[in-house]
Amino acid sequence: MAYPQISKNTIKNACKFIYHYRPPKNLTKFSNPVMFWRGREEPIPEKSEKILRDYLPQMKTEVFEGMGHGQFLHEYPQEYVEKLKIFLDN
């Protein structure tokens, strides 16, 4: 276990949040562009993406092959910044 002092209740709450979270209904009123980036090796964000798509149909997705959570940011920070700048400038 990564955190030996973590309680079973904390783990239970984290799993509940990850697997049962529903965005607020008023999120459908958000009309600005949205970009969803995730690594191909991330199963949970794929589920989150599907949930968010119902609320944010304008959302665009980019999946980074062979990468896990936050890996693109940490291993390729310059490329990440460039992609982010392009998105924000548009």
Side-chain angles (χ1 to χ4, degrees):
M1 186 181 271
Y3 303 99
Q5 303 303 319
I6 196 168
S7 72
K8 288 180 184 178
N9 196 41
T10 298
I11 294 169
K12 180 179 149 188
N13 288 338
C15 289
K16 183 178 178 185
F17 179 79
I18 289 170
Y19 292 109
H20 300 289
Y21 173 75
R22 293 286 178 245
K25 295 285 184 202
N26 66 356
L27 187 59
T28 59
K29 295 177 184 173
F30 187 80
S31 60
N32 290 347
V34 176
M35 177 60 76
F36 191 95
W37 289 343
R38 66 176 177 85
R40 174 71 67 199
E41 307 305 316
E42 297 185 90
I44 294 171
E46 184 177 6
K47 293 175 185 179
S48 300
E49 176 190 350
K50 289 176 183 173
I51 292 168
L52 284 172
R53 176 116 11 244
D54 291 338
Y55 292 82
L56 302 166
Q58 77 276 22
M59 182 175 78
K60 295 188 186 319
T61 299
E62 187 167 355
V63 179
F64 300 102
E65 294 297 326
M67 300 216 177
H69 184 72
Q71 192 172 349
F72 180 60
L73 168 63
H74 294 289
E75 292 184 11
Y76 303 95
Q78 190 60 42
E79 290 90 339
Y80 182 94
V81 167
E82 292 305 317
K83 281 183 162 297
L84 184 58
K85 283 181 185 177
I86 291 167
F87 172 74
L88 294 174
D89 285 344
N90 293 326

